[in-house]
Amino acid sequence: MKPNQEQLTKSAIQLLQQLIAIPSFSSEEDKTGDAIQKWLSDFGVETQRQFNNIYAFNKHFDENKPTLLLNSHHDTVKPNSAYTKDPFHPHIEDGKLYGLGSNDAGGCLVSLLATFVHFYEEKNLNHNIIMAATAEEESAGEKSLRGLLPELPKIDVAVVGEPTLLDLAIAEKGLIVFDAVVEGTPSHAAHPNNNNSIYNTIEVLNWFKNCSFEKESEALGKVKLTVTQINAGNQHNVVPAKVDLVVDVRVNDCYSNQEIAAILDKEAPCKMTPRSLRLNSSAIDPNHDLVKSGIALGRKTYGSPTLSDQAALSCQSVKLGPGDSTRSHSANEFIYVKEIEEGIDLYFKILSGFLIPQ
């Protein structure tokens, strides 16, 4: 017998408590992977596994239909030193479920798993559904969603579960981290030097501070460039040959990462080397039926400045889930139980409006 919403919600919250109690740092998620597989199997779902990525297809998968991906991650960062509660002791106080990974992104994950089970045996959906509970999101590892995608059929649209206060992030900024080098002439500090690399850096920093990219996104605003690290010298009496900078660039959906790298390579007053160009911005057409289904239920849309597994996807995608991203990676992380209940209800309703022919 198909479980009802109340049963699925109760079971999902119990699963989240189980997951919190199991350490699952990036690349060490094998035990949470086991728990997720067992939970799905207990509901009659046939699962597959690639490394610590657990995935499943809806029962009536039809290759002639487009495919919707439901995705969230089950790895966590390590708890920070400010924790006063045991990060691996799931417990509920005043309606809050405490524990590492509860908010980022356990609440989203179990809500999507419950949603997948709800639709698993449905016939005549207008999209197939793939559920992917993935690993290594926090470390952007090779055995994450990025590594799983080549094993999956073509994905046409995706819902990525991250805490958004249940509003729809219809765009997400991409990320490029650059290593920049400002060069000069090394010398003894006692001698004249008109090519001091540290002094040269003043002009370079001002250039970065005033750097602006022409195209502005309606959802994501402007590209944001920030110098986040600086390092030079190791002796008080030696002018260093170079100053190393790290530059963080958050890219809107008007540019590809390759375009941003090409612009900076041409115009920046110092040498800049991107560490990776793979974390591109993401977006979905505001008029997509999935978005319209959410708006019809009173949800707001916005552009997200934070990065997620959306960066691995080449299809249109929306980021949506219970919880608040400001709690992510914080001490004594928590999610309200009510948020999970509301998240499951919203996922059910949004996807019903999108998947079931009216």
Side-chain angles (χ1 to χ4, degrees):
M1 181 182 295
K2 178 180 175 180
N4 62 35
Q5 183 171 336
E6 183 180 350
Q7 291 169 327
L8 277 171
T9 301
K10 181 179 178 181
S11 183
I13 293 168
Q14 290 171 343
L15 174 62
L16 178 53
Q17 291 173 302
Q18 185 182 356
L19 295 177
I20 289 169
I22 304 171
S24 56
F25 308 134
S26 289
S27 77
E28 300 174 21
E29 315 93 338
D30 53 311
K31 297 296 190 296
T32 47
D34 293 343
I36 292 165
Q37 272 193 294
K38 183 179 185 305
W39 189 87
L40 285 169
S41 296
D42 287 346
F43 283 107
V45 175
E46 182 179 340
T47 64
Q48 298 187 54
R49 184 167 186 151
Q50 182 219 47
F51 305 116
N52 294 324
N53 298 314
I54 312 302
Y55 62 104
F57 302 83
N58 64 298
K59 191 170 184 177
H60 302 287
F61 193 95
D62 182 347
E63 293 180 357
N64 296 313
K65 293 180 180 180
T67 296
L68 165 71
L69 174 69
L70 305 180
N71 165 248
S72 193
H73 63 95
H74 58 104
D75 64 316
T76 71
V77 296
K78 293 187 176 180
N80 63 56
S81 60
Y83 263 84
T84 59
K85 300 177 182 292
D86 181 349
F88 304 110
H89 173 53
H91 60 287
I92 297 172
E93 295 178 22
D94 299 322
K96 301 174 183 176
L97 173 54
Y98 284 93
L100 182 66
S102 56
N103 181 80
D104 184 17
C108 302
L109 174 64
V110 300
S111 297
L112 284 174
L113 287 166
T115 303
F116 177 76
V117 170
H118 174 72
F119 288 101
Y120 178 66
E121 295 192 16
E122 289 287 330
K123 298 179 180 179
N124 302 318
L125 299 176
N126 58 28
H127 281 63
N128 299 307
I129 311 175
I130 299 175
M131 176 70 219
T134 49
E136 297 191 9
E137 189 270 350
E138 297 291 1
S139 60
E142 294 301 320
K143 296 178 180 178
S144 62
L145 175 62
R146 180 173 287 102
L148 175 62
L149 285 172
E151 305 294 320
L152 300 180
K154 177 179 178 290
I155 307 297
D156 295 278
V157 64
V159 175
V160 175
E162 290 282 347
T164 68
L165 292 171
L166 293 179
D167 285 326
L168 291 86
I170 59 172
E172 175 185 276
K173 281 191 173 179
L175 169 65
I176 317 174
V177 177
F178 288 91
D179 292 302
V181 178
V182 182
E183 297 180 333
T185 302
S187 69
H188 194 291
H191 300 305
N193 185 344
N194 293 322
N195 191 31
N196 183 314
S197 61
I198 293 177
Y199 293 161
N200 292 345
T201 304
I202 297 172
E203 181 180 343
V204 173
L205 291 174
N206 277 325
W207 189 89
F208 283 137
K209 182 179 180 182
N210 296 314
C211 180
S212 179
F213 295 85
E214 181 181 354
K215 299 176 187 176
E216 185 170 353
S217 164
E218 183 175 343
L220 294 171
K222 295 183 176 181
V223 173
K224 188 175 187 299
L225 183 151
T226 309
V227 178
T228 57
Q229 292 177 253
I230 185 167
N231 184 59
N234 53 32
Q235 292 179 242
H236 77 90
N237 58 352
V238 177
V239 175
K242 64 186 179 71
V243 175
D244 294 312
L245 305 174
V246 175
V247 183
D248 178 297
V249 182
R250 303 288 164 155
V251 184
N252 66 23
D253 53 335
C254 299
Y255 297 91
S256 70
N257 286 1
Q258 288 79 2
E259 288 174 313
I260 293 293
I263 291 169
L264 290 174
D265 182 63
K266 179 181 179 181
E267 298 183 6
C270 64
K271 181 180 178 182
M272 298 186 70
T273 305
R275 294 182 183 177
S276 170
L277 296 176
R278 69 186 188 185
L279 301 175
N280 283 290
S281 61
S282 311
I284 189 170
D285 185 341
N287 293 312
H288 194 285
D289 286 344
L290 185 60
V291 177
K292 289 200 281 189
S293 182
I295 292 173
L297 293 166
R299 308 319 302 181
K300 299 175 184 176
T301 62
Y302 73 103
S304 172
T306 58
L307 202 66
S308 73
D309 267 336
Q310 278 185 287
L313 297 167
S314 57
C315 63
Q316 294 194 81
S317 59
V318 62
K319 184 161 63 178
L320 170 67
D324 186 341
S325 66
T326 62
R327 298 183 211 135
S328 300
H329 305 182
S330 64
N332 301 330
E333 183 181 347
F334 70 89
I335 188 168
Y336 287 99
V337 172
K338 186 177 180 181
E339 289 177 318
I340 299 172
E341 295 168 347
E342 292 174 347
I344 291 173
D345 185 62
L346 182 66
Y347 280 146
F348 280 18
K349 289 176 177 175
I350 284 181
L351 293 187
S352 291
F354 175 63
L355 292 170
I356 298 175
Q358 303 299 311

